[in-house]
Amino acid sequence: MKGLGGLARQVSFMRRLKATPKAPPILRVSAGDLLFGHPAVISNSHREYWAQRARLIGRMLQSCAIEYSALGDADMTMGVDFALSALAPLRERLLSSNVKPASNKAIVPKAIFARGGFKVGLFALTRQPTNGLPKGVEAIKDPVITAKEMVTSLKNEGCNLIILLAHLGAHKDQLLLRQVAGIDVAICGCCPGPLEKPRKINDATYFSAMFGGGQLGRIDIFERKDEGRLE
């Protein structure tokens, strides 16, 4: 998709893709910041405007065919409880493995499901905002330690395709991937722009689409059964 298409254009594109004869199994994910592009855009004088806008985006997500999303740091600009409320249409498909809310509203740390012959294990990591913990967040756990725990847990549950929705920033994403083995695909949610070609970092194929949903990124995954590896 060329240019900034917005949610409506994304919905139309996904409907056409799914209607394609013999379309392959599709998994549509977001690496976070669905509600707000950047915390700096929120000012007290326009707070209600941004709140209404975020709630509208949340309602539209049901039509966007997004199956899973990371919880981004900018999503929590107005507090984690607001983010969970606005993103309620995603329910248990909103993921963060390292954000711990102060309330009893737990965030789902991982998802496991079958798709295209794979047993997929999906988890997400959220960075801490530069201005401190968001309202309602008790802690944001160390991403490297959390990632190692998640990979071990997902492998123990029989997953043969492990995907990370990485919302740490491009530099920290890549540092983490060099320290954590066993991740097959990592999708960046805080990259300044799209990567024209995926990068191989340790075990992972690292990939990013355009900030703000201006373009949809696509990655095709194949299993080389004779070689016992993914491609």
Side-chain angles (χ1 to χ4, degrees), residues 3-211:
L4 296 174
L7 291 176
R9 190 176 177 193
Q10 290 188 31
V11 171
S12 298
F13 178 83
M14 290 303 299
R15 285 175 177 168
R16 292 198 305 273
L17 185 61
K18 287 191 171 186
T20 303
K22 297 183 180 180
I26 297 169
L27 172 64
R28 174 125 193 249
V29 297
S30 166
D33 285 354
L34 290 168
L35 299 180
F36 306 109
H38 192 283
V41 303
I42 308 298
S43 63
N44 289 331
S45 59
H46 297 93
R47 193 173 183 83
E48 185 55 33
Y49 162 78
W50 287 107
Q52 292 181 11
R53 178 181 179 274
R55 293 187 187 101
L56 176 60
I57 290 172
R59 290 195 295 270
M60 291 182 67
L61 292 178
Q62 292 178 310
S63 303
C64 287
I66 294 176
E67 294 183 60
Y68 295 92
S69 177
L71 177 66
D73 61 315
D75 288 326
M76 298 184 286
T77 298
M78 301 181 72
V80 68
D81 288 346
F82 177 86
L84 295 177
S85 174
L87 293 170
L90 288 173
R91 297 183 178 87
E92 69 277 4
R93 295 175 290 123
L94 178 67
L95 308 177
S96 180
S97 308
N98 64 328
V99 172
K100 182 181 180 182
S103 66
N104 59 359
K105 295 181 180 179
I107 299 172
V108 177
K110 62 185 178 181
I112 298 174
F113 51 91
R115 189 66 51 90
F118 295 101
K119 186 173 184 180
V120 181
L122 186 66
F123 73 104
L125 296 171
T126 308
R127 68 180 176 181
Q128 180 167 319
T130 56
N131 59 349
L133 289 174
K135 180 181 177 182
V137 172
E138 181 178 317
I140 297 179
K141 297 184 290 184
D142 180 272
V144 173
I145 294 173
T146 304
K148 290 179 178 179
E149 293 173 348
M150 286 292 108
V151 170
T152 299
S153 173
L154 293 169
K155 284 188 176 295
N156 287 343
E157 295 189 61
C159 296
N160 58 0
L161 174 58
I162 296 180
I163 300 174
L164 164 63
L165 303 180
H167 200 92
L168 304 173
H171 178 65
K172 290 185 178 180
D173 287 347
Q174 294 175 54
L175 287 177
L176 179 138
L177 293 174
R178 293 187 180 98
Q179 297 177 69
V180 181
I183 298 170
D184 297 302
V185 177
I187 301 172
C188 175
C190 292
C191 291
L195 295 176
E196 292 186 6
K197 294 182 179 180
R199 297 174 184 170
K200 191 70 175 178
I201 304 175
N202 201 353
D203 295 333
T205 299
Y206 182 65
F207 179 77
S208 138
M210 180 177 279
F211 168 81

